[in-house]
Amino acid sequence: MSLSVESRVVSGQPAEEHPAAKAPDPAAPSRTGRAGAALRGLGLVIGVAALVLVGLLSVWVGSRGIPFTATWHVLWNPDGSETSVIIHDYRIPRTILGLLVGMALGLAGALMQALTRNPLADPGMLGVNLGASAGVVVAIAFFGVAAPLGYVWFALAGAAAASVGVFLLGSSGRKLASPERLVVAGAAVTAVLYAFNWAVLLLDPRAFDQFRFWTVGSLAGRYQDIVLMSLPFIGVGLVIALVLAPSLNALAMGDQLGRALGVNVGRTRVLGAVAVMLLCGAATAAAGPIGFVGLAVPHIARFVVGPDQRWVFAYSMLIAPVLLIGSDIIGRVLGAPGEVQVGIVTAFIGAPLFIALCRRRKLVML
C-alpha cells in the first residue's frame, strides 16, 4: 500500500514522487482556452454561413415564385425586367433591412440584459419601443403622415425622448442610475406612453386603423430609402455596444469590483443606454415593434458560448438576423399569395424557443 502525500511528507519522503503531488502542466489551461476559442470561432463561421444562406433564400423565395436560375441571373445581371425589379427593388432591400434590424435587436437585447444584470430584460424595458410607437402615433394622428418613410424620424425622436426620460428619472437625486432604478423608471415611462398611445388611437379611428399595420412589425414595403436612413443609427449603436463589452464583463461581478478594475460605471451605463436607444429605436422605426428577438437570442448565445459578453454580442449579432430573416421567409411561404407579418412569426417561434430554454437551463442573474 502506497503512502499518502501527507504521510510521505511526515516520513521525509519527497512528495513529488506521488502523481497527485505533481505540479499541473502550465500549458494545459492555455490549450483548453485555445480549443474553446477555436470552437467559438468555428461557431461564428457557421453562423456567417447560415446568415448567407437565409439571405439568399430571402432573395429567392417570395409570394411570387421565381425560378432559382432566373433569380441568380438577375441578381448579378440586372436587366430592368419585372423579375429584376422584384429582386433588386423589393427583396434585396428587404433582406438587408432584416439583417440590420436583426443585428440591432439581438445586440440591443444582449446589451440590455448585461446593463441591468437581468436575464428577462429586453430592449423595450427602457421604454424605447413605446417611445417609438408614441412618435408614430403623433405622426399619424396630428401630422397626417401616411408612409413608412415618414414614420422613421418621428419614431426615432420618440425613442430618444423616452430613453432620455428614463435615464433622467433613474438618475434623479444624488444616486447614479443603477440597474434597478433604470428598470423602475422604464416601467413608469412605458405605462405613461402606453396610456397616451391608446388614448389618442381610441379617439381617432382613422389613426388606429393606420397604426395597427405598423405596430404588428413587418419588413414588407420597406425600400432602400428606409435602409439608408436607419443604417447610420444602427452602425453607431453597434460600435458603441461592441466597445463596451469588456467593461460589461467587469460589471457583471458588481459595481464595486468593476470600479476596482478601472471601469467608469456611470459612463458605461450612459453609453449603454445610448446604444440601446440607437439600436432599438432605429430598428423599431424601420420595421415596427418586433418581439422576442431581443429577449430570446441572447439566451441562445449564452447557452452556446457562456457568459463572456464579447462572444455573446458577436453570436447575438449573427443569430438574431438568421431568426428574423428566416421568420420573414416562413411568413411569405405560409401566407402566399399574401404574407404573414414577421412580427407574428417571430412571436410564434420565439415564445416556444424561450420557454424551452427556460426549462432546459435555469436562468441565473447576470
Side-chain angles (χ1 to χ4, degrees):
M1 180 182 295
S2 60
L3 297 174
S4 65
V5 176
E6 291 84 358
S7 301
R8 288 175 178 269
V9 172
V10 172
S11 63
Q13 299 184 36
E16 288 77 3
E17 295 177 4
H18 194 278
K22 290 184 178 179
D25 181 7
S30 60
R31 284 198 298 265
T32 304
R34 286 196 297 268
L39 287 176
R40 294 187 185 102
L42 178 61
L44 287 179
V45 173
I46 295 174
V48 171
L51 184 57
V52 171
L53 177 61
V54 296
L56 291 175
L57 286 175
S58 178
V59 174
W60 174 34
V61 178
S63 56
R64 174 172 177 175
I66 300 176
F68 177 77
T69 53
T71 301
W72 186 260
H73 174 73
V74 299
L75 179 62
W76 304 107
N77 303 283
D79 53 12
S81 63
E82 184 179 359
T83 298
S84 179
V85 170
I86 292 174
I87 297 298
H88 288 274
D89 293 352
Y90 293 92
R91 293 186 183 175
I92 289 180
R94 181 173 184 163
T95 302
I96 296 175
L97 184 63
L99 169 67
L100 293 175
V101 170
M103 292 174 64
L105 292 178
L107 187 54
L111 179 59
M112 190 68 206
Q113 292 173 11
L115 282 173
T116 61
R117 296 198 290 273
N118 183 351
L120 297 178
D122 75 340
M125 186 171 284
L126 287 181
V128 179
N129 285 348
L130 263 297
S133 298
V136 174
V137 168
V138 170
I140 295 173
F142 300 110
F143 293 93
V145 178
L149 180 60
Y151 299 158
V152 172
W153 291 112
F154 285 91
L156 284 170
S163 300
V164 171
V166 168
F167 190 81
L168 290 177
L169 286 175
S171 58
S172 60
R174 297 183 178 181
K175 295 183 178 180
L176 293 174
S178 65
E180 296 80 8
R181 291 165 67 91
L182 286 175
V183 170
V184 173
V189 171
T190 296
V192 171
L193 292 175
Y194 184 84
F196 168 80
N197 287 349
W198 285 105
V200 173
L201 294 174
L202 291 177
L203 294 174
D204 189 344
R206 179 196 61 82
F208 174 78
D209 188 63
Q210 192 171 338
F211 177 77
R212 65 189 178 93
F213 289 103
W214 177 84
T215 194
V216 74
S218 177
L219 299 177
R222 273 65 169 179
Y223 306 118
Q224 188 175 1
D225 47 6
I226 293 182
V227 174
L228 295 177
M229 187 173 292
S230 60
L231 179 60
F233 298 98
I234 294 177
V236 173
L238 290 176
V239 172
I240 294 174
L242 294 176
V243 169
L244 291 178
S247 299
L248 292 171
N249 276 337
L251 287 182
M253 297 179 285
D255 289 358
Q256 292 184 351
L257 189 54
R259 290 190 184 94
L261 294 174
V263 176
N264 188 320
V265 177
R267 183 177 61 188
T268 299
R269 291 222 173 93
V270 170
L271 290 176
V274 170
V276 171
M277 183 272 292
L278 290 172
L279 293 170
C280 190
T284 304
I290 297 176
F292 282 103
V293 175
L295 178 62
V297 165
H299 288 284
I300 301 173
R302 279 192 294 272
F303 183 78
V304 175
V305 298
D308 189 338
Q309 298 298 340
R310 294 170 299 179
W311 289 103
V312 171
F313 284 6
Y315 270 72
S316 296
M317 290 171 58
L318 289 177
I319 297 172
V322 170
L323 174 62
L324 187 63
I325 297 174
S327 299
D328 188 43
I329 296 171
I330 293 173
R332 290 185 238 172
V333 173
L334 293 180
E339 64 179 69
V340 180
Q341 282 81 1
V342 68
I344 299 174
V345 181
T346 55
F348 273 102
I349 295 177
L353 181 62
F354 184 67
I355 293 172
L357 285 171
C358 292
R359 291 177 58 87
R360 181 179 177 86
R361 184 184 186 191
K362 183 179 179 182
L363 296 178
V364 296
M365 296 303 293
L366 298 176

